[in-house]
Amino acid sequence: MPFPPRPVDATLHGVVDYTAGSFLLTAFPKLAGIEGTRSARQVRTAAAIHAGYSTITDYPLGAVKLLPFQAHLAMDALGALALAATPFVTGQYKEGRKQWLPHVALCLFELSSLLITDPTGRGDYHGDVDAVKRANMENPHRQIYDGAPAVTPAVG
């Protein structure tokens, strides 16, 4: 098993791309207390760029499928590092922690996500996938009413 385990496949990575992108474009600047600042504009710009190349990535959630998945991952890493560097390059870090901490935190989130994403796009699963598929094919009514109780009463 490789270290670290890489259970995230291309589909789940795409879900995170679009979910995080939407959050960064809308609610994040207000929640981070940077609404109306250069930092908010930079985060929103990075999120828009990320969403843009996500739509052209060759993965299950890509709309056009032009960009290879591994190139997408490389762009994720470069974009994360560029976002973290931005406040230090522009000098806005001198305006206080709120002007650089969100950038660095988002970079760490992105790099952590990349560490657990399988670059082949398949996902490095170590569970019994066939057993899960079999369990999902069973009748839920039977599982609920005909099986053993999930909770047994305490013996008093």
Side-chain angles (χ1 to χ4, degrees), residues 65-117:
K65 303 183 186 329
L66 296 173
L67 182 69
F69 183 59
Q70 290 179 342
H72 171 103
L73 297 178
M75 289 177 71
D76 282 353
L78 289 173
L81 294 172
L83 182 62
T86 300
F88 301 99
V89 171
T90 63
Q92 73 197 57
Y93 73 94
K94 297 174 189 172
E95 298 170 23
R97 187 178 305 171
K98 278 189 175 183
Q99 300 306 311
W100 63 266
L101 189 58
H103 296 68
V104 173
L106 290 170
C107 172
L108 293 175
F109 169 79
E110 182 71 36
L111 295 178
S112 299
S113 170
L114 291 172
L115 278 177
I116 61 171
T117 297

Side-chain angles (χ1 to χ4, degrees), residues 10-138:
T11 302
L12 182 55
H13 187 90
V15 169
V16 173
D17 281 342
Y18 291 117
T19 304
S22 298
F23 176 64
L24 294 177
L25 283 167
T26 57
F28 180 80
K30 186 164 184 77
L31 291 173
I34 59 173
E35 187 67 58
T37 66
R38 282 195 300 173
S39 292
R41 286 189 301 277
Q42 292 161 350
V43 167
R44 283 188 170 122
T45 299
I49 291 168
H50 191 107
Y53 70 79
S54 294
T55 61
I56 65 165
T57 297
D58 186 9
Y59 63 176
L61 298 180
V64 182
K65 303 183 186 329
L66 296 173
L67 182 69
F69 183 59
Q70 290 179 342
H72 171 103
L73 297 178
M75 289 177 71
D76 282 353
L78 289 173
L81 294 172
L83 182 62
T86 300
F88 301 99
V89 171
T90 63
Q92 73 197 57
Y93 73 94
K94 297 174 189 172
E95 298 170 23
R97 187 178 305 171
K98 278 189 175 183
Q99 300 306 311
W100 63 266
L101 189 58
H103 296 68
V104 173
L106 290 170
C107 172
L108 293 175
F109 169 79
E110 182 71 36
L111 295 178
S112 299
S113 170
L114 291 172
L115 278 177
I116 61 171
T117 297
D118 182 3
T120 67
R122 291 187 302 269
D124 182 19
Y125 302 108
H126 295 287
D128 188 350
V129 175
D130 291 329
V132 172
K133 285 180 182 176
R134 282 191 305 275
N136 287 338
M137 296 301 292
E138 290 183 30

